[in-house]
Amino acid sequence: MERNTTRNPSAKRLARLSEGIALSTLLLGMSAPAFAQDTDDTAVQDEDLEVNSRVPTILVTATKREQTLQETPVAVSVVGSEEIQRAEIQDLIDLQSLVPSLTIRQNQTAANATFFIRGFGNGSNAIGLEPSVGVFIDGVYRSRSAASISDLPNLERVEVLRGPQSTLFGKNASAGVISVTTRKPQFELDGAVSATYGNFNAVRLDGFVTGPISDNLAVSVSGNLNRRDGFFEDLGTGEDVNERDRWGVRGDILWEPTLDISFRLIGDYDKIDENCCGVTNLVDGPTGAIVTGLGGEFVSEDPLSRDVFFDVVPTNEIENYGVSLQGDFDLGFATLTSITAWRNSSNESNSDTDATSLEVFSQTLASSDIETFTQEIRLQSYGADNFIDWTLGGFYFDETVETSNDIRYGQDTRDFFAGLAGGPQTLISLESFAGLPTGTFGGSGQGLFDFGGQDNTAWSIFGSVDVNLTDRLTATIGLSYTEDEKTANYGGVSNDSLAALNLEQLGYTATLGGILGGLGIDPTNPAQVGAFIQGNPQQYAQIQQQALAVAQGPNNPFGDLSALQIFPQFVGFPNSVENGQTNDNSTDVTARLSYDVTDNINVYVSYATGFKASSWNLGRTTRPFASDFTPGNPVVDPFTQQTLFVTPSSPITDAGLNVINGEAGTRFAAPEDAEVYELGIKAQFDTVSFNFTVFDQSIQNFQTNVFTEDGFVFANAGEQSTFGVEIDGTWSPLDGLILTGAATFLDPEYDSFPNFGPGIDISGQQPQGIAETQFNLAANYGFAIGSVDAFLRADWSHLGNSPFFDNPNDQAVFEATDYTREQNLVNLSFGISTASELDITLWARNLLDDEFIVFAFPAVAQAGTFSGAPGEPRTYGVTVRKSF
């Protein structure tokens, strides 16, 4: 597909942006007196800020060129290593407490973490759904969240770039980028070790050592261990759930053979092996009584107790490892950078799908293996603030994905199905009528085994030019072209005997027999039926149509059992109709004007587009598109062998690929096209700095996955948009005290989503999980106690309430409950540092033990029941760190 970059903004979007411009102009005017006072005699230079200012100068590489945060005309937040240490950030998920407009949610497994920037994000619960927020670690793209949630020691900084970044970042940056930078090896001996102990028997160990091997060769070695008991208590198996059990090692070599050449080689390995993740009952639907009636147990509608009854311990085992080589070459007129990387990420998980002590599902095994190769080459003009500063580069991506699932019924499945069917006799009667042995349906060991894969190659070329029109006015034009090709496959086998039944056929036969019996004809006696047909052909034709109407309608005597046909056979691909291939392309642009109003204040306005290619559904809910398949089960008269109904003609059916109970749906989600209009102000003085951004961002064909009782189904929203305002600032009213604050106000909306589900149009609705408000406040005070340096840090993060579901029927259920997604987290830390570089920190996260629900979903095969998970409880501990 080719993006049309000349499309006009809507009137609504222009009105929103005009309001934001008016507001920003007002704020700029309000800042003028303070600016005039500070710059009455002399302008404050960047180097003066670094020496004299109590507000630190921060360097970022958001434009792939090192600049100060104030000089960078991009909406970016930066968190440095000292702040990460003092705030006791445990992992990447905790980062949201420090960064405005960033939300991170961990769902049903450890690998299913989703990053949201400005309310846009996806990529969890489906291996084929790539994220819209790109994560880069030391310049290397991590294609799935499971490959980016590991602990990283010796961090230098984390940058969060908000809005589409496709013109400089080569893959899946349609919503934003999280860029993690670790510290390079040093040519002076340096290192640190730290140990943490906290509640839930938390133990964290990490350390690094770096130093020279020779005059031009330095190395760094680091490692980490993170363990903690689970805060869910499984009363069924006796195990803890939601534990931490992670470790990793990392080696880093820096070789500088000349002053103009450097190479950095990084190798790393990390492993996660945890009991995770706990889900508990939120809404006890009609099936709850069936579970308890069969002797099953679960904690009904008390998620904050964090008590569960499982018969299967949920497990996650994730391995990530890889190697990267970065080369930097100073060519005099420009710098050439090459980053080559190979990575592998594997994931195996098992879960208790029914979330009760019953063995309805004996296992839900899922595994995946992802192998990725990336290559970036970038040529960048030497220096900065020339009349023209430019960047030119290319990016190549080659990835192979393999995935499989094995879901099996357990020893309680049949009894549970019998309860749903109104009693065991219903199943027995159906088995007898279908000519099957008693006990066939819902038998232990039945289920589904499926497998899929994907080969993905993509490449892009990109360039950016900064034209410094004056010493204060800079115009930027960025351009990229991307091609993305995917070849996907999916197949498998279902041995679910009930799901294999043609209930329309059985319903027809049963209804026909009932009508004939009412006429005094024994339907089990072929001779009687044959005589009736021969003597009453017209009447029998009417009876056939009457029975067919019943079989295909809501009064089918077996129709209610269709809800128990969980794992029907499916049409795999590629096949003679579907080639399993997509080939997408896009041209994306960035256009920006940046003006230094003074040496302290910068104003910019920008327009940017972004792109994400098609995402294939590699799971059991993949179905042919409606354009390729029209569902319908055949119905044949058992006495005349006359075909009364045939599956309607469609490419799949005409090719002989149709299966009983086949359904239409989606194979993949179409490409995303993002655009943003943005106006920003950045200001820094000696004691105060602030950033203000107003934006209008939208994604056409936003890729999402809709959870049904059977699994996730891919869909495209016609358009999702967010108008927003972001404000963040720093104030140092006295030496040692730094106050920071941030506020994000969003107006998220599905502008167009008419095809959410059968008969469901959610256009104009607020997307689930996207809050309208997000606040971050922090105070950090450094002081001395005799010869000991000390600090006291406190922060508060607020995330407003938001819908649990996009499906209005499901959301209506939750609006009658007291559950909330609103978060108000208070974190506190106090530390001392001695002259011998020994640091001791006391810390607490979620100090006030705020209670909220992170996510919710319809329970599998339990209509009317909903499961979900609460947030983490209060944690606290002590960290001892020794530097040398």
Side-chain angles (χ1 to χ4, degrees):
M1 58 162 287
E2 186 76 23
R3 165 189 287 281
N4 178 6
T5 57
T6 61
R7 64 171 179 253
N8 293 320
S10 64
K12 176 182 178 182
R13 188 161 296 151
L14 286 174
R16 285 174 163 181
L17 199 61
S18 299
E19 294 171 359
I21 292 172
L23 179 58
S24 61
T25 303
L26 175 62
L27 288 177
L28 183 59
M30 292 170 61
S31 70
F35 155 72
Q37 182 180 357
D38 288 338
T39 61
D40 185 54
D41 297 319
T42 58
V44 179
Q45 302 298 320
D46 288 341
E47 57 267 24
D48 295 328
L49 286 172
E50 193 162 353
V51 174
N52 301 322
S53 175
R54 292 201 297 259
V55 177
T57 298
I58 300 172
L59 295 178
V60 299
T61 55
T63 60
K64 303 221 171 176
R65 185 185 298 276
E66 190 172 90
Q67 296 173 292
T68 67
L69 182 60
Q70 183 198 347
E71 293 173 329
T72 305
V74 175
V76 56
S77 299
V78 185
V79 182
S81 59
E82 181 176 288
E83 188 174 8
I84 289 173
Q85 288 180 13
R86 290 189 172 186
E88 281 296 325
I89 299 300
Q90 308 289 316
D91 52 35
L92 202 58
I93 295 176
D94 290 336
L95 195 65
Q96 61 189 320
S97 65
L98 303 180
V99 178
S101 297
L102 174 67
T103 306
I104 305 174
R105 286 202 300 268
Q106 180 172 287
N107 296 310
Q108 292 97 320
T109 69
N112 284 324
T114 308
F115 304 100
F116 298 85
I117 295 179
R118 292 177 170 174
F120 297 98
N122 51 29
S124 65
N125 292 307
I127 193 65
L129 185 60
E130 299 176 59
S132 297
V133 174
V135 178
F136 293 78
I137 298 179
D138 289 323
V140 176
Y141 174 61
R142 303 289 182 96
S143 65
R144 300 296 190 281
S145 58
S148 55
I149 61 174
S150 306
D151 301 337
L152 287 174
N154 205 19
L155 285 175
E156 182 174 294
R157 68 181 180 274
V158 178
E159 301 177 28
V160 178
L161 286 63
R162 306 189 289 274
Q165 306 294 329
S166 292
T167 54
L168 285 179
F169 293 85
K171 180 91 169 153
N172 294 352
S174 57
V177 163
I178 299 174
S179 178
V180 179
T181 301
T182 63
R183 188 184 181 203
K184 290 182 179 180
Q186 304 295 301
F187 285 93
E188 293 183 1
L189 183 62
D190 189 16
V193 292
S194 69
T196 297
Y197 183 77
N199 62 331
F200 297 104
N201 291 318
V203 174
R204 286 192 294 121
L205 304 172
D206 65 71
F208 76 94
V209 61
T210 182
I213 300 298
S214 66
D215 290 342
N216 57 18
L217 185 67
V219 299
S220 176
V221 178
S222 60
N224 61 279
L225 174 71
N226 187 349
R227 290 181 177 173
R228 183 201 67 200
D229 293 343
F231 52 79
F232 272 76
E233 183 177 0
D234 184 355
L235 303 176
T237 66
E239 298 283 345
D240 286 339
V241 181
N242 280 52
E243 64 178 8
R244 281 285 184 267
D245 190 352
R246 306 178 177 189
W247 65 273
V249 292
R250 178 181 171 94
D252 196 340
I253 301 174
L254 178 64
W255 181 39
E256 297 179 341
T258 71
L259 293 176
D260 299 326
I261 300 175
S262 70
F263 295 96
R264 187 182 183 190
L265 178 66
I266 302 173
D268 65 271
Y269 175 89
D270 63 79
K271 185 170 184 178
I272 297 174
D273 189 0
E274 300 173 345
N275 293 345
C276 189
C277 297
V279 296
T280 184
N281 178 266
L282 299 180
V283 176
D284 189 355
T287 59
I290 298 174
V291 172
T292 56
L294 294 173
E297 295 180 284
F298 64 97
V299 179
S300 175
E301 299 185 354
D302 187 15
L304 299 176
S305 71
R306 298 185 177 88
D307 289 336
V308 294
F309 280 94
F310 293 158
D311 63 282
V312 175
V313 178
T315 58
N316 277 243
E317 185 173 335
I318 303 170
E319 280 188 313
N320 294 307
Y321 50 92
V323 61
S324 66
L325 176 63
Q326 177 171 336
D328 294 288
F329 309 87
D330 189 340
L331 306 180
F333 72 98
T335 300
L336 177 66
T337 298
S338 170
I339 304 176
T340 307
W342 174 88
R343 298 205 60 80
N344 185 273
S345 178
S346 62
N347 177 23
E348 294 185 0
S349 65
N350 192 13
S351 61
D352 188 345
T353 302
D354 56 90
T356 72
S357 65
L358 289 183
E359 193 179 295
V360 177
F361 295 91
S362 63
Q363 66 179 32
T364 306
L365 297 175
S367 67
S368 64
D369 188 83
I370 303 175
E371 186 173 309
T372 308
F373 173 82
T374 57
Q375 173 67 59
E376 180 179 356
I377 297 178
R378 185 171 67 249
L379 188 65
Q380 204 161 36
S381 62
Y382 186 77
D385 298 325
N386 304 305
F387 176 65
I388 294 180
D389 298 319
W390 51 268
T391 299
L392 180 65
F395 178 79
Y396 177 75
F397 175 90
D398 190 343
E399 181 173 83
T400 300
V401 177
E402 295 179 354
T403 182
S404 65
N405 298 276
D406 193 354
I407 308 174
R408 301 296 173 183
Y409 292 149
Q411 61 183 4
D412 297 316
T413 307
R414 180 176 175 83
D415 291 339
F416 181 71
F417 279 5
L420 294 176
Q425 190 57 45
T426 302
L427 295 182
I428 294 173
S429 298
L430 179 60
E431 288 164 338
S432 175
F433 189 79
L436 298 172
T438 299
T440 297
F441 299 145
S444 179
Q446 295 184 29
L448 172 71
F449 173 76
D450 64 346
F451 50 86
Q454 175 180 281
D455 292 324
N456 180 195
T457 58
W459 61 270
S460 66
I461 54 175
F462 58 86
S464 178
V465 176
D466 294 334
V467 182
N468 297 299
L469 301 172
T470 71
D471 59 349
R472 294 192 178 276
L473 180 63
T474 300
T476 300
I477 295 294
L479 187 68
S480 69
Y481 176 78
T482 303
E483 285 202 4
D484 192 298
E485 297 182 9
K486 291 186 173 74
T487 300
N489 65 86
Y490 179 79
V493 177
S494 169
N495 65 350
D496 185 340
S497 56
L498 180 56
L501 287 184
N502 182 345
L503 296 182
E504 286 88 347
Q505 177 65 65
L506 294 177
Y508 173 83
T509 302
T511 302
L512 179 64
I515 296 174
L516 293 175
L519 297 175
I521 301 167
D522 183 2
T524 64
N525 188 327
Q528 286 190 28
V529 176
F532 176 79
I533 294 174
Q534 186 175 6
N536 303 277
Q538 292 183 343
Q539 184 181 1
Y540 188 72
Q542 293 175 347
I543 292 173
Q544 286 179 316
Q545 293 304 310
Q546 181 182 352
L548 181 63
V550 171
Q552 295 180 327
N555 295 320
N556 184 321
F558 304 117
D560 291 343
L561 295 175
S562 62
L564 305 182
Q565 296 182 308
I566 300 177
F567 302 125
Q569 293 288 340
F570 46 82
V571 179
F573 68 89
N575 53 54
S576 59
V577 175
E578 303 167 294
N579 62 14
Q581 297 178 357
T582 51
N583 188 342
D584 307 311
N585 62 79
S586 179
T587 300
D588 291 286
V589 300
T590 296
R592 182 169 55 237
L593 278 176
S594 174
Y595 182 65
D596 291 329
V597 181
T598 71
D599 291 334
N600 302 83
I601 300 177
N602 174 272
V603 179
Y604 71 90
V605 60
S606 68
Y607 170 79
T609 66
F611 164 75
K612 188 177 82 168
S614 302
S615 290
W616 282 85
N617 188 345
L618 304 179
R620 67 178 183 273
T621 58
T622 182
R623 297 290 186 271
F625 287 105
S627 58
D628 292 323
F629 178 59
T630 303
N633 286 333
V635 177
V636 177
D637 188 288
F639 301 111
T640 65
Q641 300 304 309
Q642 177 184 358
T643 300
L644 302 177
F645 181 82
V646 297
T647 303
S649 176
S650 66
I652 290 290
T653 299
D654 296 345
L657 300 173
N658 185 29
V659 295
I660 297 298
N661 300 319
E663 296 178 346
T666 57
R667 290 296 196 195
F668 58 85
E672 289 183 352
D673 289 315
E675 69 176 359
V676 64
Y677 299 83
E678 188 168 295
L679 175 70
I681 302 172
K682 297 192 173 196
Q684 182 163 347
F685 307 97
D686 58 348
T687 62
V688 175
S689 69
F690 75 87
N691 304 301
F692 172 87
T693 309
V694 57
F695 65 90
D696 194 1
Q697 185 170 331
S698 64
I699 295 183
Q700 291 191 346
N701 288 330
F702 179 74
Q703 297 177 359
T704 186
N705 47 357
V706 180
F707 190 82
T708 68
E709 291 181 16
D710 298 329
F712 289 92
V713 179
F714 281 19
N716 283 103
E719 182 176 19
Q720 179 182 339
S721 71
T722 298
F723 173 77
V725 175
E726 299 163 328
I727 306 170
D728 64 89
T730 301
W731 178 37
S732 179
L734 52 90
D735 285 338
L737 178 61
I738 297 180
L739 307 176
T740 60
T744 300
F745 303 92
L746 302 179
D747 181 20
E749 181 181 351
Y750 284 126
D751 299 272
S752 174
F753 204 162
N755 60 336
F756 174 81
I760 301 178
D761 181 351
I762 60 172
S763 301
Q765 184 173 296
Q766 178 182 350
Q768 69 89 12
I770 309 305
E772 295 180 341
T773 57
Q774 187 171 353
F775 305 132
N776 304 82
L777 295 175
N780 194 351
Y781 182 52
F783 55 97
I785 305 176
S787 62
V788 175
D789 293 331
F791 76 90
L792 178 64
R793 188 185 192 283
D795 66 72
W796 167 69
S797 62
H798 163 83
L799 184 66
N801 197 15
S802 60
F804 282 93
F805 295 98
D806 286 331
N807 188 319
N809 299 321
D810 293 339
Q811 179 59 24
V813 175
F814 274 72
E815 289 176 352
T817 70
D818 295 328
Y819 299 129
T820 180
R821 301 184 92 158
E822 180 179 334
Q823 301 179 25
N824 290 283
L825 303 180
V826 176
N827 306 313
L828 186 68
S829 56
F830 168 73
I832 60 173
S833 180
T834 68
S836 61
E837 296 190 86
L838 177 66
D839 303 334
I840 302 175
T841 303
L842 301 174
W843 56 269
R845 296 192 62 80
N846 192 10
L847 178 66
L848 304 182
D849 206 18
D850 185 45
E851 297 177 332
F852 53 92
I853 303 300
V854 178
F855 65 91
F857 60 93
V860 176
Q862 301 176 62
T865 294
F866 293 85
S867 301
E872 292 194 4
R874 175 173 46 235
T875 55
Y876 51 86
V878 58
T879 298
V880 179
R881 179 183 176 88
K882 177 67 171 97
S883 301
F884 55 87

